[in-house]
């Protein structure tokens, strides 16, 4: 009986340690990144095409390092409305700074876990189409579009704790760590 108690105690300690480790990394990411989420008016070819034009305008025009999050959302919405008008779309766009759930996503050699992130969200027209998401700041997923991959990586490294940066750039190891932490959290909740 003592042996079983000892094993369960060790398992609980390990579970708590992994959970705290995972939570610290998730919190660091959630507090230091601004994601971008653009929802198209519909799934029509024209609406999906203009969504990508809006994306390109937002990427090139919105610099979160110089704006508050609300200003970034308003500037992104303004860019979206301009692109829609230039392409003869009669519907509008609105933008907001919010928090929302994002799925696990890989950008070259950077893997971000699913979770709740701060985001600039742009809705085109009725917002009934497929969406597009990325990291607006630091501009990790847009590094090729802006041609500044080193600058984006440096900004990412500056904003995150060393441990967090190492985990998300470790070629998929994050999937195992975060999945393990999710399983352990569920077990703890059930206890």
């Amino acid at each position: 009986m003592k042996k079983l108690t000892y094993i369960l105690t060790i398992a609980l300690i390990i579970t708590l340690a992994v959970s705290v480790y995972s939570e610290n990394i998730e919190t660091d990411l959630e507090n230091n990144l601004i994601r971008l989420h653009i929802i198209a008016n519909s799934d029509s070819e024209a609406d999906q095409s203009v969504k990508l034009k809006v994306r390109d305008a937002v990427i090139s025009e919105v610099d979160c390092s110089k704006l508050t999050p609300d200003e970034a959302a308003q500037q992104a919405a303004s860019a979206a409305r301009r692109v829609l008008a230039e392409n003869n779309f009669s519907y509008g766009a609105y933008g907001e700074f919010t928090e929302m759930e994002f799925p696990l996503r890989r950008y070259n050699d950077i893997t971000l876990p699913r979770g709740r992130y701060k985001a600039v969200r742009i809705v085109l027209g009725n917002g009934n189409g497929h969406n597009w998401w990325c990291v607006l700041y630091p501009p990790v997923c847009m590094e090729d579009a802006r041609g500044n991959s080193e600058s984006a990586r440096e900004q990412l490294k500056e904003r995150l704790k060393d441990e967090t940066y190492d985990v998300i750039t470790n070629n998929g190891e994050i999937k195992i760590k975060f999945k393990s932490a999710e399983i352990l959290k569920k077990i703890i909740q059930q206890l």
Side-chain angles (χ1 to χ4, degrees), residues 35-64:
R35 307 289 295 261
L36 175 62
H37 185 231
I38 302 173
I39 305 171
N41 180 59
S42 76
D43 286 335
S44 75
E45 189 174 321
D47 285 343
Q48 289 296 311
S49 177
V50 80
K51 172 188 72 178
L52 297 178
K53 290 179 182 180
V54 166
R55 171 202 66 192
D56 294 343
V58 170
I59 288 169
S60 67
E61 297 173 24
V62 178
D63 183 355
C64 288

Side-chain angles (χ1 to χ4, degrees), residues 177-191:
K177 288 182 179 183
F178 280 95
K179 188 61 178 174
S180 299
E182 287 175 21
I183 291 168
L184 293 173
K185 283 180 187 177
K186 287 180 184 176
I187 291 170
I188 290 171
Q189 290 171 351
Q190 290 176 357
L191 295 174

Side-chain angles (χ1 to χ4, degrees), residues 22-39:
S22 174
E23 188 68 34
N24 286 338
I25 290 174
E26 288 175 10
T27 300
D28 191 26
L29 290 169
E30 292 165 4
N31 289 334
N32 288 297
L33 300 179
I34 298 176
R35 307 289 295 261
L36 175 62
H37 185 231
I38 302 173
I39 305 171

